[in-house]
Amino acid sequence: MTEGRDDSGVLFAEPGARWRTVAYGPILCVIILVIELATGSSVHWFALVFCGSLIGMFVVLQVIAGQRHVSVELTESTLRDGTETLPLSSIDAVLPERDEDCWDDEDWEEARALGELSGVPRRRTGIGLRLADGSLVQAWAKDHRTLRTALTAAIGQAPEPADDPAPDTDDKHSENGVDR
């Protein structure tokens, strides 16, 4: 095992939701309590405790759902988007990003999104994948560029060709740009 890396071989991960968000509602109620105590107005003990705990319980459910349905994990052998796990051996190619200047949708943008959700989750961006059987699917992540790079490297695909024009091979200039 190398230092800074665990045995699971995780190449990319997004948790989907973080537990720290559970504390936001109760912290807000504590701030209101402090303000009520500092101003000398009547303190609403029951309401603040009730609201703080109720908000906390609802957010716990949201965090559990977020971690289950919108988390992403890429390992050396699988890609998991939400509840669906796809072996990397079944991925033929990572398709190029959507061309923002083009009016037409890419074929993969109409494809099924991985996971149990009906489409790509909010605040996530789809990544087109061509599977070994020829079908198209969409992987997704918040940090889609990092996932795209890691996924491309994991399946051993050559990086996408750049859209830049070919370098000038004019004989008037040497390799370092100085005229001959």
Side-chain angles (χ1 to χ4, degrees), residues 10-167:
V10 175
L11 305 173
F12 177 86
E14 284 182 355
R18 300 189 189 278
W19 283 106
R20 68 177 177 229
T21 58
V22 174
Y24 295 162
I27 287 172
L28 180 61
C29 290
V30 169
I31 291 171
I32 294 170
L33 175 67
V34 169
I35 291 171
E36 286 183 347
L37 290 171
T39 60
S41 64
S42 62
V43 178
H44 300 91
W45 293 101
F46 177 75
L48 291 173
V49 170
F50 178 75
C51 288
S53 58
L54 189 65
I55 291 169
M57 288 187 290
F58 279 124
V59 175
V60 163
L61 293 175
Q62 289 178 324
V63 169
I64 291 170
Q67 288 184 342
R68 182 170 295 147
H69 296 287
V70 293
S71 62
V72 179
E73 184 177 80
L74 174 65
T75 66
E76 294 170 351
S77 60
T78 61
L79 168 65
R80 184 182 53 76
D81 265 343
T83 58
E84 186 172 350
T85 302
L86 187 66
L88 292 185
S89 60
S90 69
I91 299 174
D92 187 39
V94 178
L95 302 175
E97 283 190 59
R98 180 187 193 324
D99 182 7
E100 296 299 326
D101 296 331
C102 183
W103 288 81
D104 298 327
D105 288 339
E106 300 288 339
D107 290 339
W108 62 263
E109 290 180 292
E110 301 293 324
R112 175 184 75 82
L114 295 175
E116 289 181 338
L117 303 175
S118 61
V120 174
R122 286 184 342 170
R123 297 188 298 271
R124 276 43 176 200
T125 302
I127 300 170
L129 301 177
R130 184 176 52 246
L131 301 181
D133 65 1
S135 63
L136 301 175
V137 295
Q138 286 187 72
W140 42 263
K142 274 187 179 181
D143 186 5
H144 62 99
R145 288 187 174 91
T146 303
L147 176 59
R148 177 183 295 280
T149 302
L151 192 54
T152 301
I155 65 170
Q157 180 179 341
E160 301 171 16
D163 291 336
D164 298 333

